[in-house]
Amino acid sequence: MIVGNGDIEEGGAGIIDAADFVIRFNDCRSYGAGGSRTDAVAVCNTGRPAKAMLGSREWRAHPGVVSAGEIWSVRDPEKFAAMRAPLAVSHPELDDFCDDYTDEFSVFCADTGKKHVVIGKAVHESVDASLSAFSPSPYVVPSSGMIVIAEVLNTYAEAEVTLVGFGHVGWELHPFAAERQLVDSHIAAGRLKRFGGETLVSSSQGA
């Protein structure tokens, strides 16, 4: 079960908590209304979100973060280091976007007995390639949710994967319209399903 930070329909908490593996994001905003089971927390390990999480006692003490056995860093350090110079030209306002905190998350995991998973740049690049089929508007990077969906589909190919709390809206420099189309194509292919909302398809999942 991949639990985004969007709206979750009433009754979702129990179904989420009954899953074999639950992934939440960043500050675990889905925790509570979206159940409490948390096996992995996927984090933006660069830029302001990373700095804010690592510097927050509240984040470190959050029950979802505490209970998670794994932290997934969604941004490959090598990939983001290579993006720094082009972004300085195209989006100078994103001057700290590529600041890397992967090592700090590794230390946090070592200190708290968690596994640290760094999602490789090949996953990011495969998502870019898949999104290109839907002619996205210019964007900076795919969303963390889309990267995690690709990682899960690649790593757990036989698993039944369900998405919940994915509204495909947010930061204007993520390609959310194309991401929705890509997710819908995975659903149509039987690799994913959505819980609730307008597209509940029963089949294998992919989040």
Side-chain angles (χ1 to χ4, degrees):
M1 187 77 72
I2 303 177
V3 188
N5 286 329
D7 293 339
I8 295 173
E9 291 193 4
E10 191 173 346
I15 292 171
I16 292 168
D17 284 347
D20 293 326
F21 196 84
V22 176
I23 305 167
R24 301 183 192 273
F25 292 87
N26 290 323
D27 55 4
C28 297
R29 266 179 284 156
S30 61
Y31 193 95
S36 59
R37 176 166 186 162
T38 310
D39 297 284
V41 178
V43 299
C44 284
N45 49 303
T46 72
R48 293 168 209 171
K51 186 176 182 180
M53 283 183 279
L54 289 164
S56 167
R57 290 182 183 177
E58 290 80 5
W59 181 80
R60 292 170 179 265
H62 189 288
V65 174
V66 171
S67 64
E70 302 180 8
I71 299 293
W72 291 15
S73 287
V74 303
R75 294 177 169 176
D76 181 284
E78 183 182 340
K79 172 75 175 175
F80 278 72
M83 288 172 56
R84 185 182 291 276
L87 276 178
V89 176
S90 64
H91 295 83
E93 72 280 9
L94 300 180
D95 57 330
D96 58 355
F97 185 76
C98 296
D99 291 355
D100 182 55
Y101 293 90
T102 307
D103 288 347
E104 287 84 345
F105 279 109
S106 291
V107 170
F108 170 73
C109 289
D111 289 346
T112 54
K114 303 182 191 303
K115 179 182 179 182
H116 188 204
V117 176
V118 181
I119 298 178
K121 66 177 182 177
V123 173
H124 185 130
E125 290 166 358
S126 73
V127 170
D128 283 332
S130 297
L131 288 169
S132 69
F134 303 100
S135 303
S137 299
Y139 67 94
V140 172
V141 289
S143 70
S144 298
M146 200 68 243
I147 298 295
V148 167
I149 288 168
E151 173 72 4
V152 169
L153 290 179
N154 289 344
T155 306
Y156 304 102
E158 302 306 313
E160 184 177 290
V161 183
T162 300
L163 299 185
V164 61
F166 274 72
H168 304 291
V169 294
W171 190 45
E172 67 275 9
L173 294 177
H174 289 322
F176 282 117
E179 289 188 5
R180 179 185 288 276
Q181 291 176 284
L182 179 55
V183 166
D184 287 346
S185 75
H186 288 319
I187 291 169
R191 301 197 70 201
L192 278 180
K193 67 180 180 181
R194 293 187 196 270
F195 169 74
E198 71 263 353
T199 356
L200 177 58
V201 177
S202 51
S203 51
S204 293
Q205 335 166 184

